[in-house]
């Protein structure tokens, strides 16, 4: 292995065809931001667009903007815009509510379609907490059991007693990329319905829910889609479930004719049935700008260029970590690039201190706190739209400085808190 | 009755102690906006505040702003800010999700606490559609029946077979103000749990959920609270239900320790248990500015001054309509000011055309379309924070012009659509 020099890394940036996309973002000078897997960077277009929506559409248009500025259609319009990024067709994706609410809707709908004798919901033991909590509530609702299984043992957990399998395509902790088509095929072989959590994969890797024959999918938009803090999430279901699918939350926006004000509820078609009530238009406008940045790098949803850069970034990070810090940190993320997303996680006994000390040096990674038995992980996300190869170099260089000077042992880093 | 002249009306504005509050808003010149009961006006502070949140908190602070800019606490912080407007205590109100999702959570929680033999949910026949649709789904969930009753017959519908009563404090169609304490007492007398829809009352009339001994309440924030299109809604429950209350949607934000990343779900206390997942921070920032405008007119939630002006505005409207148009329109809203909110609804065979023709003349009211058997209503909201007495005069004057010239019969107004 030849270790790249700083000059090599600068040459990579100079030759990077996606390099100019960084100009779509307003990033702080001097900051190495490797936390786009948690909160995506601010697109340059967002502030101006929001100002227009607030002062013109709301301020001048007032109530008329629900029609004239197409506010009412925003959840479906943005769903259509997002659809190519997950391999969905127009009319299938709704952008509405938060990920937890969409998980609830999708899991509830999935469980309502399976044979009542299938009384188990399988979720990964180390899934992001909200997946487990929501699945626990839905299992309770249907009198089912929740089985928490190791991600490595997913296949063994599939049986004719299982109704629904909830899987994160990319594990938020490790960055492990689960093969959607294979897992779905195995689940279907046992008659199990799949619900996919795409929070850490959408915008990071190519996704094709139709090619994988997936059943349901949900995901968030404030990570690799750069929609802004807490931007509304999305939900999709395969059209083959349209007849039997029933979202438990039948608000007026999910009605086939919301303005008919009819007495009885009739679910709308496709994405409409996943809607609930009025959505935050300002947040949706910001998401619109975020989607534009992703589609600039992935025209018509073609993720190959972004994915190639993402792999190159994580490969470089691994190479530099191995060369300079291999004896001090354990690489948790898969070495096989086809099995990892756009992040690399490093195990360290004091990962929390490491990430805080790095932040003090202007390198922002992520760490989960908590008191689970697992070791803490330092997580580094490499959003290919705006991360440079020199950012990777800088991160490893500063990491070496932190570890070399034991900066992570600073008592100031004793209080833990983080948002994922 | 002495009919006020235009000079009288201008004198009312000049003497109005709340008149200067209109300067808190950015309203289009020349527009008479009487649709604050559907979408509140734009506060002047909102655009600047949003710009700061986007460019500084998101753009500079990035992931750190979840803590540093107090994003994570926003749903509870705004809940505490809103609480005095409904008579709730700190820690009881959550601002999160949309009204339909909150209706689902509250109705589901309420039904889960009642005796299974109480197998009826009572909802008003003419409630806003989403109330009926969500109640229908929750009734289905619990194997209960949905009874749709006339608002005038609410009391007769209360029986020991009823589990939950869902009522709108102010009827969105007519503006009728339902007596919360009386209805709640009657419901409790029969052992029925009450869920109050405050969408059209919060910020419009004084509300005291504790004095009324109400059980659950939900409401929206983009009408009289000026939070912006689709701003997140709120949900409240009486602390006496804390032990038995269980929100069906147990996302990580409703966990007692969301950052502990623990395997099992433990609901947080008070408002926390109503949360779900990450909320749209940009939309919440706009709502913060909207709440400031209401609290400027209702310090510490004291609504008496705003309410007095609201009554004066609706009284003036009724007086002028009676005097000039009494033979052409029917007043549907209660004549008794203690029984109406901050709107007046007028029945007319072609209400849709009337409202459209008025809009063409710069007077914005609201109308529900739809194909229900009821006659269409022209609805006029008088948000006391920014509506002037001269706006009332102008509305009636233009209404007289429209009706006098049959402008409402213009075929251009044949296509119906509206958002409430």
């Amino acid at each position: 292995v030849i270790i790249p020099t700083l000059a090599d890394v600068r040459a990579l940036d100079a030759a990077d065809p996606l390099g100019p996309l960084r100009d779509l973002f307003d990033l702080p000078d001097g900051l190495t931001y490797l936390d786009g897997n948690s909160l995506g960077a601010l697109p340059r277009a967002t502030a101006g667009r929001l100002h227009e929506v607030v002062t013109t559409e709301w301020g001048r248009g007032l109530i008329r903007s629900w029609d004239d500025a197409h506010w009412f259609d925003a959840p479906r319009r943005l769903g259509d815009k997002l659809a190519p990024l997950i391999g969905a067709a127009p009319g299938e994706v709704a952008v509405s509510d938060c990920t937890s609410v969409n998980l609830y809707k999708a899991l509830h709908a999935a469980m309502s379609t399976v044979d009542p004798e299938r009384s188990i919901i399988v979720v990964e033991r180390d899934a992001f907490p909200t997946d487990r909590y929501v699945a626990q509530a839905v299992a309770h609702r249907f009198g089912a059991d929740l089985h928490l299984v190791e991600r490595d043992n997913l296949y063994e957990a599939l049986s004719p007693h299982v109704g629904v399998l909830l899987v994160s395509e990319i594990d938020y902790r490790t960055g492990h990329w689960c093969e959607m088509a294979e897992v779905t095929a195995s689940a279907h072989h046992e008659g199990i319905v799949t619900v996919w959590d795409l929070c850490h994969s959408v915008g990071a890797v190519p996704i094709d829910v139709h090619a994988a024959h997936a059943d349901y999918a949900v995901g968030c938009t404030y990570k690799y889609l750069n929609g802004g803090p807490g931007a509304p999430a999305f939900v999709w279901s395969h059209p083959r479930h349209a007849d039997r699918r029933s979202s438990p939350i039948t608000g007026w926006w999910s009605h086939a004719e919301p303005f008919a004000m009819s007495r009885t509820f009739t679910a709308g078609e496709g994405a409409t049935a996943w809607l609930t009530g009025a959505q935050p238009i300002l947040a949706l406008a910001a998401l619109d700008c975020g989607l534009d940045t992703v589609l600039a790098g992935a025209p018509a949803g073609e993720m190959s260029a972004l994915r190639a850069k993402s792999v190159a970034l994580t490969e470089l990070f691994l190479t530099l970590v191995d060369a300079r810090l291999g004896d001090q940190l354990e690489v948790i993320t898969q070495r096989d690039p086809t099995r990892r997303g756009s992040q690399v996680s490093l195990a360290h006994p004091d990962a929390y201190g490491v990430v805080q000390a790095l932040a003090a040096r202007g390198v922002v990674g992520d760490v989960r706190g908590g008191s689970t038995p697992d070791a803490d992980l330092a997580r580094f996300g490499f959003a290919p739209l705006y991360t440079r190869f020199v950012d990777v170099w800088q991160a490893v260089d500063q990491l070496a400085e932190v570890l070399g000077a034991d900066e992570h042992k600073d008592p100031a880093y004793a209080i833990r808190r983080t948002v994922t």
Side-chain angles (χ1 to χ4, degrees), chain A:
Chain A
V1 178
I2 299 168
I3 312 303
T5 64
L6 180 54
D8 294 336
V9 166
R10 287 187 171 136
L12 288 173
D13 280 320
D16 175 16
L18 299 185
L21 291 176
R22 183 175 165 93
D23 291 337
L24 296 175
F25 296 89
D26 184 7
L27 283 154
D29 290 335
L31 193 77
T32 302
Y33 190 64
L34 300 179
D35 207 0
N37 51 323
S38 195
L39 177 66
L42 169 63
R44 276 194 202 283
T46 305
R49 175 70 189 130
L50 261 180
H51 189 75
E52 186 186 2
V53 172
V54 169
T55 58
T56 304
E57 294 183 10
W58 177 10
R60 305 296 101 185
L62 288 156
I63 189 69
R64 296 165 295 195
S65 288
W66 279 109
D67 285 345
D68 296 351
H70 309 288
W71 288 350
F72 184 72
D73 298 324
R76 281 168 295 201
R77 181 163 38 82
L78 295 184
D80 284 350
K81 197 165 183 173
L82 188 153
L85 296 170
I86 66 167
E92 292 180 357
V93 179
V95 173
S96 178
D97 307 308
C98 64
T99 303
S100 297
V101 170
N102 287 328
L103 277 168
Y104 179 81
K105 290 187 283 194
L107 284 169
H108 197 289
M111 276 301 284
S112 69
T113 65
V114 303
D115 189 301
E117 291 186 6
R118 293 181 171 272
S119 58
I120 295 171
I121 298 178
V122 171
V123 181
E124 297 154 87
R125 193 196 68 166
D126 290 320
F128 188 75
T130 218
D131 296 61
R132 297 194 306 265
Y133 302 158
V134 173
Q136 185 179 329
V138 173
H140 176 73
R141 150 74 181 93
F142 286 92
D145 290 327
L146 185 68
H147 282 198
L148 298 179
V149 303
E150 298 270 0
R151 191 170 172 90
D152 289 344
N153 301 333
L154 273 186
Y155 290 101
E156 290 86 332
L158 306 180
S159 83
H161 304 295
V162 176
V164 173
L165 169 67
L166 169 60
V167 199
S168 298
E169 190 184 20
I170 291 178
D171 185 299
Y172 83 102
R173 293 169 63 246
T174 64
H176 174 247
W177 186 4
C178 184
E179 222 297 318
M180 188 187 283
E182 276 178 37
V183 172
T184 301
S186 296
H188 286 178
H189 184 72
E190 298 285 353
I192 298 165
V193 177
T194 57
V195 178
W196 288 89
D197 179 338
L198 307 180
C199 285
H200 286 262
S201 50
V202 64
V205 298
I207 304 171
D208 194 330
V209 289
H210 275 288
H213 302 290
D215 298 285
Y216 299 83
V218 303
C220 97
T221 63
Y222 49 79
K223 300 179 189 294
Y224 295 102
L225 301 187
N226 310 310
F234 66 90
V235 54
W236 167 88
S237 58
H238 194 285
R240 69 174 172 270
H241 293 301
D243 287 346
R244 294 192 301 162
R245 182 197 65 202
S246 54
S247 170
I249 310 177
T250 52
W252 68 300
W253 279 34
S254 56
H255 195 283
E257 292 184 82
F259 298 104
M261 317 295 271
S262 71
R263 294 257 157 76
T264 51
F265 181 76
T266 308
E269 307 244 321
T272 302
W274 289 118
L275 302 180
T276 52
Q279 292 300 300
I281 296 303
L282 307 184
L284 290 173
L287 172 56
D288 206 348
C289 298
L291 287 170
D292 283 339
T293 64
V294 184
L295 292 168
E302 174 48 57
M303 286 286 296
S304 55
L306 282 176
R307 174 62 183 161
K309 180 172 176 186
S310 165
V311 169
L313 289 164
T314 52
E315 282 290 320
L316 175 63
F317 186 74
L318 289 167
T319 300
L320 293 172
V321 165
D322 287 343
R324 298 183 60 175
L325 302 163
D327 54 343
Q328 298 177 68
L329 294 151
E330 183 189 357
V331 173
I332 294 299
T333 301
Q334 275 59 32
R335 296 274 177 184
D336 175 357
T338 69
R339 296 271 54 81
R340 70 170 179 257
S342 204
Q343 77 177 64
V344 174
S345 301
L346 305 175
H348 186 278
D350 191 12
Y352 188 84
V354 169
V355 170
Q356 301 307 311
L358 270 177
R361 287 175 163 275
V363 177
V364 178
D366 210 320
V367 67
R368 66 167 187 158
S371 51
T372 61
D374 314 313
D376 281 342
L377 299 177
R379 306 183 299 156
F380 300 93
F382 302 90
L385 276 172
Y386 50 80
T387 306
R388 297 164 302 193
F389 293 97
V390 73
D391 292 322
V392 176
W393 175 278
Q394 177 71 1
V396 179
D397 200 53
Q398 295 299 307
L399 191 52
E401 297 280 346
V402 163
L403 294 173
D406 276 349
E407 291 174 5
H408 53 289
K409 295 179 179 168
D410 188 321
Y413 306 138
I415 300 169
R416 298 182 171 215
R417 177 137 188 232
T418 185
V419 172
T420 305

